[in-house]
Amino acid sequence: MDTVGVWSLVRFAHVTGAALWVGGQLALSLVILPLARHLLAPEAKDRYTAAAGRRFGMLTGTVFLPVQLATGWAMAWHKGVTWASLAEPGYGRTLATKLALFALVMLAAAAHGIAHAKGRADLARALAVVSLVVSLGIVFLATALPAT
């Protein structure tokens, strides 16, 4: 495989991972959880939604996050990004903002899991919304970055 093909594959893995992460959040928030609340008895709903959240969290930690970190780092390296270039207008600042938002999403997602485990449903729901909205912001910023 030539160099262009390799970088196309890296970019494909990065975009696919992001689509699955954000799409999973949207599917959980807009389809799965509302249906569970509407169709299941309270005890069954609680068990089901907790299991769905644990499964999504497990996939995030074992698949989505490692793929995003590895492919994101590889594309930045390929593009010649340095710490100093993250402060430069255009690509650098856009990428720096995307990285900062990614860190915020990871913190919100972790806090969501903690809040849910401690039975703080309102806080967990608010953190899930923050994570989803900021994830959409990351996708928006990603569309402003040129392909590597």
Side-chain angles (χ1 to χ4, degrees), residues 25-122:
Q25 289 180 78
L26 286 168
L28 281 170
S29 298
L30 300 175
V31 178
I32 295 167
L33 298 179
L35 283 174
R37 284 185 202 105
H38 181 72
L39 296 175
L40 299 176
E43 185 178 302
K45 175 206 52 107
D46 291 345
R47 280 195 325 273
Y48 178 77
T49 58
R54 276 193 304 278
R55 172 73 56 99
F56 191 70
M58 182 187 68
L59 286 171
T60 296
T62 60
V63 178
F64 302 148
L65 188 56
V67 167
Q68 293 313 106
L69 292 174
T71 57
W73 176 85
M75 290 187 302
W77 173 82
H78 179 68
K79 183 82 172 159
V81 173
T82 64
W83 289 110
S85 69
L86 293 174
E88 295 173 4
Y91 186 92
R93 285 188 191 156
T94 302
L95 180 58
T97 303
K98 183 180 171 219
L99 292 171
L101 291 179
F102 182 73
L104 180 60
V105 164
M106 290 298 106
L107 289 171
H112 163 79
I114 292 167
H116 188 272
K118 291 186 175 190
R120 301 196 53 200
D122 290 341

Side-chain angles (χ1 to χ4, degrees), residues 2-17:
D2 65 355
T3 303
V4 173
V6 169
W7 290 109
S8 293
L9 185 60
V10 169
R11 191 171 51 255
F12 175 79
H14 193 76
V15 170
T16 301

